[in-house]
Amino acid sequence: GVTVYQSHRNSRTDFPVLTCAVRVEDGKGCVVLGARPAKAARVELPAELAEKLSDYHENDLADALADLTAEERRKLYAILGVEQVAEIFSYLDDAEPYLKELPPEEAAQVVSHMDSDDAVDALDDLEEEDKEKIVHQMDKVDKDAADDVKLLLSYDEDEIGSCMTTNYICIRKDMTIRQAMSELVKQAGENDNISTLYVVDENERFYGAIDLKDLIIARAEDSLEKLIARSYPYVTDHEKISDSIDRIVDYAERSLPVLNESGKLLGIITSADVVELVDDQMGDDYAKLGGLTSEEDLNEGVFQSVKKRLPWLVALLFLGMLVSSVVGAFESVVAVLPIVICFQSMVLDMAGNVGTQSLAVTIRVLVDENLTTSKKLHLLFKEMRVGLVNGALLAVMALGFLGVYIHFFKAYAWGQAFLLSGCVGISLIVAMVISSLVGTVIPMLFHKIHIDPAVASGPLITTINDLVAVVVYYGLAMIVLIEMFHLG
C-alpha cells in the first residue's frame, strides 16, 4: 500500500510544502520522504503517488532524496519515471552519488532527458571513467542529446560554451508568420525556452531574434522580417566567462545566443545560467579574497581543501619571513626603547585593514571594463585622501589616549609619553596612506596584466602592508625618538 501524509501549507500560496511527506510500503521495504507526518490519507496505486508528487517542485523532491536509502530511491525512480527523475536531478548540487547508484544504461536515459547544460553539470561530478560510460550509452539512447553533451564537454570550464544550453527555439528567416508559429508549436514540445525565438539564415548563421509576444500578435499577412531584431546581442563560445559576465548582465535579456567564429548559432545562455554564473564568480572571488585558490565545498575531503589553501599559505609564509627579517633589522631600536614593541601590532593591523578596504573597493570598481585611465587615477587619489583623513583622525585619538596610557601605566614623563604617542600617530598616518595606495595599485596592476584582481587577496595585501608599516613605524622610532630626542 501507499500512504501519503499531507504536510503543512505555505501561508502565502496555500500550496502544500513538501517536508518529505510520502511513505511507500510493499512488504519488502518502504520509501520514506519525511520525518514529521501529519494527517494520513490512503492512496492505492503508485500512479496516484506519482500524481501527488507531481504537485511539488522538483527542487523540493531533490532535497528529499538525501533522506532515502539507495534502494528506496530506486523504487521512487520507477514510480516517477525517467523524465521527472531527470528534472529532479537537474536541481541536485552533486549528482554523482545518485548517478552512480544507477546502471549506466539507466543513468544515460536520465541524463538524455536533462537540458544539455544541466547534463554536463551532472556529468562533471563523475570520475572520467564513469562519465565516458554514460556518454557512450547516451549514443545508443539519444544520439542528438549525446552530441549536445559532447559539444559542451569539449569546452574548457571557464568558456561560455561550457555553460550554454541547446534548449531553444530556432526558425529560418525565410519563413512566413504562419510557418514560424507552426515551427514554434512543433519545437516547444522538446524545448521550453520559448520567450525568444532565434532566427538563422540558409547557412545556419545567426540572423536575429524575435520576441514571442511580437510573433503572437502579428497578423498572418505580415512579414517575418519586420519582427526580427537584427542587432540582437550575442556572445561567442570561446569567450572567457569572467570577461563576458558583466556584458551579459548589462543586456538584461531572458537569454542570449552563443555563436561560433563563423557566426553559427550553437546554443543560448539563459537568465538562470547568468544567475548561476554570477554566483559562481562571486564565490570564486570571495575565496580568492580569503587566500584560497578556488571556492571550497562543504562536502569535499581534507586533501582537496588542503590543496586549495596551501599554495597561498606557502607564499604568505615566505612573505612573513621577510616581514620578520625586517623587524629583526630594528633590534637596536627595541633594545634601546622596548616600549615601542607594545604598539607594533596596532600599527600593523590598522595598515592591513585600510589596505583590505581599498582592495575591496578597487575590485568592485574594476568590474567596469570601460573604466578610463583618468577614472583610475581619480580612484587612486581618492583612496589616498581617504587613508590620509582616516589616518589623521586616528592619529589624534592615538596621541591623546596613548599619551595618557604611557604616562600613567608605563611611568613616562608627560613629554616623553606624548613623544611616543605622537610617533605612533604619525606612523598611522603614513602607513594608512601607503596602505591605501598599495590596496588600490596592486589590483589595478593585476588587472592590467590580465590576472584576476581578486588574486590580490586580503592576506597578500595585509602581508605587504605589514612590511610597509614595520619600516615606517620602526624607522620613525629610530630617527625621531632615539636619534633626535635621545629617548631610551
mmCIF file of all heavy atoms in Angstrom, residues 453-485:
data_model
loop_
_atom_site.group_PDB
_atom_site.id
_atom_site.type_symbol
_atom_site.label_atom_id
_atom_site.label_comp_id
_atom_site.label_asym_id
_atom_site.label_seq_id
_atom_site.Cartn_x
_atom_site.Cartn_y
_atom_site.Cartn_z
ATOM 1 N N PRO A 453 42.022 40.338 -10.456
ATOM 2 C CA PRO A 453 42.375 41.224 -9.340
ATOM 3 C C PRO A 453 42.075 40.617 -7.977
ATOM 4 O O PRO A 453 42.701 40.986 -6.983
ATOM 5 C CB PRO A 453 41.498 42.469 -9.575
ATOM 6 C CG PRO A 453 41.166 42.444 -11.011
ATOM 7 C CD PRO A 453 41.084 40.988 -11.390
ATOM 8 N N ALA A 454 41.122 39.677 -7.921
ATOM 9 C CA ALA A 454 40.810 39.050 -6.637
ATOM 10 C C ALA A 454 41.986 38.242 -6.100
ATOM 11 O O ALA A 454 42.060 37.944 -4.913
ATOM 12 C CB ALA A 454 39.582 38.147 -6.775
ATOM 13 N N VAL A 455 42.923 37.892 -6.993
ATOM 14 C CA VAL A 455 44.119 37.171 -6.545
ATOM 15 C C VAL A 455 44.939 38.046 -5.605
ATOM 16 O O VAL A 455 45.682 37.562 -4.757
ATOM 17 C CB VAL A 455 44.970 36.727 -7.764
ATOM 18 C CG1 VAL A 455 46.277 36.110 -7.331
ATOM 19 C CG2 VAL A 455 44.178 35.724 -8.598
ATOM 20 N N ALA A 456 44.812 39.398 -5.802
ATOM 21 C CA ALA A 456 45.459 40.321 -4.850
ATOM 22 C C ALA A 456 44.657 40.264 -3.563
ATOM 23 O O ALA A 456 43.997 41.202 -3.173
ATOM 24 C CB ALA A 456 45.464 41.731 -5.427
ATOM 25 N N SER A 457 44.674 39.104 -2.937
ATOM 26 C CA SER A 457 43.751 38.791 -1.845
ATOM 27 C C SER A 457 44.092 39.532 -0.564
ATOM 28 O O SER A 457 45.164 40.120 -0.418
ATOM 29 C CB SER A 457 43.763 37.287 -1.575
ATOM 30 O OG SER A 457 45.058 36.889 -1.180
ATOM 31 N N GLY A 458 43.120 39.493 0.372
ATOM 32 C CA GLY A 458 43.301 40.147 1.665
ATOM 33 C C GLY A 458 44.596 39.768 2.352
ATOM 34 O O GLY A 458 45.356 40.653 2.785
ATOM 35 N N PRO A 459 44.890 38.452 2.465
ATOM 36 C CA PRO A 459 46.152 38.062 3.121
ATOM 37 C C PRO A 459 47.393 38.629 2.433
ATOM 38 O O PRO A 459 48.345 39.029 3.099
ATOM 39 C CB PRO A 459 46.125 36.531 3.037
ATOM 40 C CG PRO A 459 44.687 36.188 2.990
ATOM 41 C CD PRO A 459 44.043 37.277 2.194
ATOM 42 N N LEU A 460 47.392 38.676 1.097
ATOM 43 C CA LEU A 460 48.550 39.210 0.380
ATOM 44 C C LEU A 460 48.712 40.694 0.650
ATOM 45 O O LEU A 460 49.819 41.169 0.980
ATOM 46 C CB LEU A 460 48.390 38.953 -1.121
ATOM 47 C CG LEU A 460 49.478 39.561 -2.022
ATOM 48 C CD1 LEU A 460 50.843 38.993 -1.669
ATOM 49 C CD2 LEU A 460 49.144 39.337 -3.485
ATOM 50 N N ILE A 461 47.614 41.447 0.512
ATOM 51 C CA ILE A 461 47.662 42.888 0.773
ATOM 52 C C ILE A 461 48.078 43.157 2.214
ATOM 53 O O ILE A 461 48.904 44.045 2.493
ATOM 54 C CB ILE A 461 46.293 43.530 0.490
ATOM 55 C CG1 ILE A 461 45.977 43.488 -1.006
ATOM 56 C CG2 ILE A 461 46.241 44.968 1.000
ATOM 57 C CD1 ILE A 461 46.845 44.385 -1.846
ATOM 58 N N THR A 462 47.510 42.395 3.151
ATOM 59 C CA THR A 462 47.831 42.591 4.573
ATOM 60 C C THR A 462 49.310 42.361 4.841
ATOM 61 O O THR A 462 49.950 43.119 5.579
ATOM 62 C CB THR A 462 46.984 41.640 5.449
ATOM 63 O OG1 THR A 462 45.607 41.914 5.211
ATOM 64 C CG2 THR A 462 47.289 41.843 6.918
ATOM 65 N N THR A 463 49.864 41.297 4.236
ATOM 66 C CA THR A 463 51.283 40.990 4.462
ATOM 67 C C THR A 463 52.185 42.078 3.894
ATOM 68 O O THR A 463 53.167 42.490 4.524
ATOM 69 C CB THR A 463 51.638 39.633 3.823
ATOM 70 O OG1 THR A 463 50.751 38.631 4.325
ATOM 71 C CG2 THR A 463 53.064 39.245 4.171
ATOM 72 N N ILE A 464 51.857 42.559 2.702
ATOM 73 C CA ILE A 464 52.649 43.635 2.100
ATOM 74 C C ILE A 464 52.574 44.896 2.962
ATOM 75 O O ILE A 464 53.577 45.575 3.205
ATOM 76 C CB ILE A 464 52.165 43.928 0.669
ATOM 77 C CG1 ILE A 464 52.463 42.737 -0.248
ATOM 78 C CG2 ILE A 464 52.813 45.202 0.123
ATOM 79 C CD1 ILE A 464 51.909 42.869 -1.646
ATOM 80 N N ASN A 465 51.356 45.189 3.452
ATOM 81 C CA ASN A 465 51.202 46.378 4.279
ATOM 82 C C ASN A 465 51.865 46.227 5.649
ATOM 83 O O ASN A 465 52.283 47.215 6.250
ATOM 84 C CB ASN A 465 49.718 46.714 4.451
ATOM 85 C CG ASN A 465 49.126 47.308 3.192
ATOM 86 O OD1 ASN A 465 49.836 47.907 2.377
ATOM 87 N ND2 ASN A 465 47.833 47.148 2.996
ATOM 88 N N ASP A 466 51.949 45.004 6.131
ATOM 89 C CA ASP A 466 52.717 44.756 7.359
ATOM 90 C C ASP A 466 54.172 45.175 7.163
ATOM 91 O O ASP A 466 54.788 45.797 8.033
ATOM 92 C CB ASP A 466 52.669 43.274 7.742
ATOM 93 C CG ASP A 466 51.347 42.888 8.387
ATOM 94 O OD1 ASP A 466 50.569 43.797 8.734
ATOM 95 O OD2 ASP A 466 51.088 41.681 8.549
ATOM 96 N N LEU A 467 54.712 44.800 6.013
ATOM 97 C CA LEU A 467 56.095 45.147 5.690
ATOM 98 C C LEU A 467 56.272 46.668 5.648
ATOM 99 O O LEU A 467 57.219 47.225 6.212
ATOM 100 C CB LEU A 467 56.469 44.531 4.345
ATOM 101 C CG LEU A 467 57.915 44.696 3.863
ATOM 102 C CD1 LEU A 467 58.885 44.047 4.837
ATOM 103 C CD2 LEU A 467 58.073 44.115 2.475
ATOM 104 N N VAL A 468 55.328 47.344 4.996
ATOM 105 C CA VAL A 468 55.381 48.809 4.909
ATOM 106 C C VAL A 468 55.281 49.435 6.291
ATOM 107 O O VAL A 468 56.053 50.340 6.659
ATOM 108 C CB VAL A 468 54.241 49.331 4.002
ATOM 109 C CG1 VAL A 468 54.152 50.855 4.070
ATOM 110 C CG2 VAL A 468 54.450 48.877 2.561
ATOM 111 N N ALA A 469 54.313 48.952 7.098
ATOM 112 C CA ALA A 469 54.077 49.528 8.422
ATOM 113 C C ALA A 469 55.268 49.328 9.352
ATOM 114 O O ALA A 469 55.612 50.221 10.143
ATOM 115 C CB ALA A 469 52.820 48.920 9.034
ATOM 116 N N VAL A 470 55.909 48.165 9.272
ATOM 117 C CA VAL A 470 57.080 47.894 10.115
ATOM 118 C C VAL A 470 58.197 48.883 9.812
ATOM 119 O O VAL A 470 58.813 49.463 10.723
ATOM 120 C CB VAL A 470 57.567 46.441 9.902
ATOM 121 C CG1 VAL A 470 58.997 46.274 10.415
ATOM 122 C CG2 VAL A 470 56.649 45.467 10.622
ATOM 123 N N VAL A 471 58.465 49.079 8.516
ATOM 124 C CA VAL A 471 59.539 50.002 8.123
ATOM 125 C C VAL A 471 59.207 51.419 8.570
ATOM 126 O O VAL A 471 60.068 52.138 9.117
ATOM 127 C CB VAL A 471 59.751 49.944 6.592
ATOM 128 C CG1 VAL A 471 60.740 51.023 6.158
ATOM 129 C CG2 VAL A 471 60.241 48.569 6.170
ATOM 130 N N VAL A 472 57.967 51.844 8.360
ATOM 131 C CA VAL A 472 57.563 53.210 8.726
ATOM 132 C C VAL A 472 57.646 53.409 10.237
ATOM 133 O O VAL A 472 58.226 54.385 10.731
ATOM 134 C CB VAL A 472 56.130 53.507 8.226
ATOM 135 C CG1 VAL A 472 55.605 54.809 8.823
ATOM 136 C CG2 VAL A 472 56.102 53.580 6.707
ATOM 137 N N TYR A 473 57.065 52.489 10.989
ATOM 138 C CA TYR A 473 56.968 52.642 12.443
ATOM 139 C C TYR A 473 58.343 52.617 13.111
ATOM 140 O O TYR A 473 58.721 53.544 13.854
ATOM 141 C CB TYR A 473 56.082 51.545 13.009
ATOM 142 C CG TYR A 473 55.933 51.571 14.507
ATOM 143 C CD1 TYR A 473 55.580 52.740 15.185
ATOM 144 C CD2 TYR A 473 56.160 50.431 15.265
ATOM 145 C CE1 TYR A 473 55.441 52.765 16.559
ATOM 146 C CE2 TYR A 473 56.022 50.435 16.653
ATOM 147 C CZ TYR A 473 55.666 51.604 17.292
ATOM 148 O OH TYR A 473 55.538 51.635 18.657
ATOM 149 N N TYR A 474 59.116 51.567 12.835
ATOM 150 C CA TYR A 474 60.430 51.466 13.478
ATOM 151 C C TYR A 474 61.410 52.490 12.916
ATOM 152 O O TYR A 474 62.310 52.956 13.630
ATOM 153 C CB TYR A 474 60.984 50.051 13.341
ATOM 154 C CG TYR A 474 60.332 49.078 14.290
ATOM 155 C CD1 TYR A 474 59.467 48.092 13.830
ATOM 156 C CD2 TYR A 474 60.578 49.141 15.665
ATOM 157 C CE1 TYR A 474 58.859 47.200 14.697
ATOM 158 C CE2 TYR A 474 59.980 48.248 16.546
ATOM 159 C CZ TYR A 474 59.120 47.286 16.048
ATOM 160 O OH TYR A 474 58.520 46.406 16.916
ATOM 161 N N GLY A 475 61.245 52.830 11.645
ATOM 162 C CA GLY A 475 62.108 53.858 11.069
ATOM 163 C C GLY A 475 61.888 55.201 11.744
ATOM 164 O O GLY A 475 62.850 55.906 12.097
ATOM 165 N N LEU A 476 60.619 55.583 11.957
ATOM 166 C CA LEU A 476 60.325 56.838 12.661
ATOM 167 C C LEU A 476 60.794 56.796 14.104
ATOM 168 O O LEU A 476 61.325 57.788 14.636
ATOM 169 C CB LEU A 476 58.811 57.118 12.616
ATOM 170 C CG LEU A 476 58.254 57.670 11.309
ATOM 171 C CD1 LEU A 476 56.734 57.731 11.361
ATOM 172 C CD2 LEU A 476 58.823 59.062 11.028
ATOM 173 N N ALA A 477 60.592 55.636 14.756
ATOM 174 C CA ALA A 477 61.030 55.500 16.153
ATOM 175 C C ALA A 477 62.540 55.696 16.263
ATOM 176 O O ALA A 477 63.041 56.374 17.184
ATOM 177 C CB ALA A 477 60.623 54.133 16.693
ATOM 178 N N MET A 478 63.274 55.120 15.318
ATOM 179 C CA MET A 478 64.736 55.226 15.362
ATOM 180 C C MET A 478 65.186 56.660 15.075
ATOM 181 O O MET A 478 66.040 57.212 15.791
ATOM 182 C CB MET A 478 65.360 54.273 14.335
ATOM 183 C CG MET A 478 66.889 54.292 14.316
ATOM 184 S SD MET A 478 67.580 53.057 13.187
ATOM 185 C CE MET A 478 66.994 53.680 11.624
ATOM 186 N N ILE A 479 64.597 57.269 14.038
ATOM 187 C CA ILE A 479 65.044 58.610 13.642
ATOM 188 C C ILE A 479 64.579 59.689 14.630
ATOM 189 O O ILE A 479 65.363 60.533 15.081
ATOM 190 C CB ILE A 479 64.552 58.938 12.221
ATOM 191 C CG1 ILE A 479 65.198 57.987 11.213
ATOM 192 C CG2 ILE A 479 64.844 60.385 11.855
ATOM 193 C CD1 ILE A 479 64.621 58.077 9.802
ATOM 194 N N VAL A 480 63.265 59.667 14.955
ATOM 195 C CA VAL A 480 62.687 60.747 15.767
ATOM 196 C C VAL A 480 62.958 60.550 17.250
ATOM 197 O O VAL A 480 63.489 61.445 17.937
ATOM 198 C CB VAL A 480 61.160 60.851 15.512
ATOM 199 C CG1 VAL A 480 60.538 61.904 16.415
ATOM 200 C CG2 VAL A 480 60.887 61.175 14.057
ATOM 201 N N LEU A 481 62.611 59.361 17.765
ATOM 202 C CA LEU A 481 62.685 59.176 19.226
ATOM 203 C C LEU A 481 64.101 58.975 19.744
ATOM 204 O O LEU A 481 64.481 59.521 20.779
ATOM 205 C CB LEU A 481 61.808 57.973 19.618
ATOM 206 C CG LEU A 481 60.306 58.086 19.291
ATOM 207 C CD1 LEU A 481 59.568 56.842 19.726
ATOM 208 C CD2 LEU A 481 59.709 59.336 19.926
ATOM 209 N N ILE A 482 64.885 58.177 19.010
ATOM 210 C CA ILE A 482 66.221 57.833 19.512
ATOM 211 C C ILE A 482 67.252 58.853 19.042
ATOM 212 O O ILE A 482 68.005 59.415 19.866
ATOM 213 C CB ILE A 482 66.613 56.421 19.074
ATOM 214 C CG1 ILE A 482 65.655 55.389 19.709
ATOM 215 C CG2 ILE A 482 68.064 56.110 19.483
ATOM 216 C CD1 ILE A 482 65.891 53.947 19.289
ATOM 217 N N GLU A 483 67.327 59.110 17.753
ATOM 218 C CA GLU A 483 68.399 59.960 17.248
ATOM 219 C C GLU A 483 68.118 61.460 17.502
ATOM 220 O O GLU A 483 69.042 62.214 17.799
ATOM 221 C CB GLU A 483 68.608 59.707 15.739
ATOM 222 C CG GLU A 483 69.112 58.300 15.445
ATOM 223 C CD GLU A 483 69.401 58.097 13.978
ATOM 224 O OE1 GLU A 483 69.246 59.071 13.198
ATOM 225 O OE2 GLU A 483 69.790 56.980 13.594
ATOM 226 N N MET A 484 66.855 61.892 17.376
ATOM 227 C CA MET A 484 66.554 63.319 17.544
ATOM 228 C C MET A 484 66.324 63.702 19.021
ATOM 229 O O MET A 484 66.868 64.704 19.503
ATOM 230 C CB MET A 484 65.319 63.724 16.715
ATOM 231 C CG MET A 484 65.569 63.670 15.208
ATOM 232 S SD MET A 484 64.098 64.147 14.239
ATOM 233 C CE MET A 484 63.843 65.807 14.843
ATOM 234 N N PHE A 485 65.523 62.884 19.730
ATOM 235 C CA PHE A 485 65.171 63.263 21.122
ATOM 236 C C PHE A 485 65.875 62.395 22.177
ATOM 237 O O PHE A 485 65.667 62.580 23.372
ATOM 238 C CB PHE A 485 63.657 63.168 21.331
ATOM 239 C CG PHE A 485 62.891 64.223 20.565
ATOM 240 C CD1 PHE A 485 62.380 63.959 19.293
ATOM 241 C CD2 PHE A 485 62.733 65.490 21.094
ATOM 242 C CE1 PHE A 485 61.691 64.934 18.586
ATOM 243 C CE2 PHE A 485 62.022 66.477 20.401
ATOM 244 C CZ PHE A 485 61.512 66.200 19.139
#
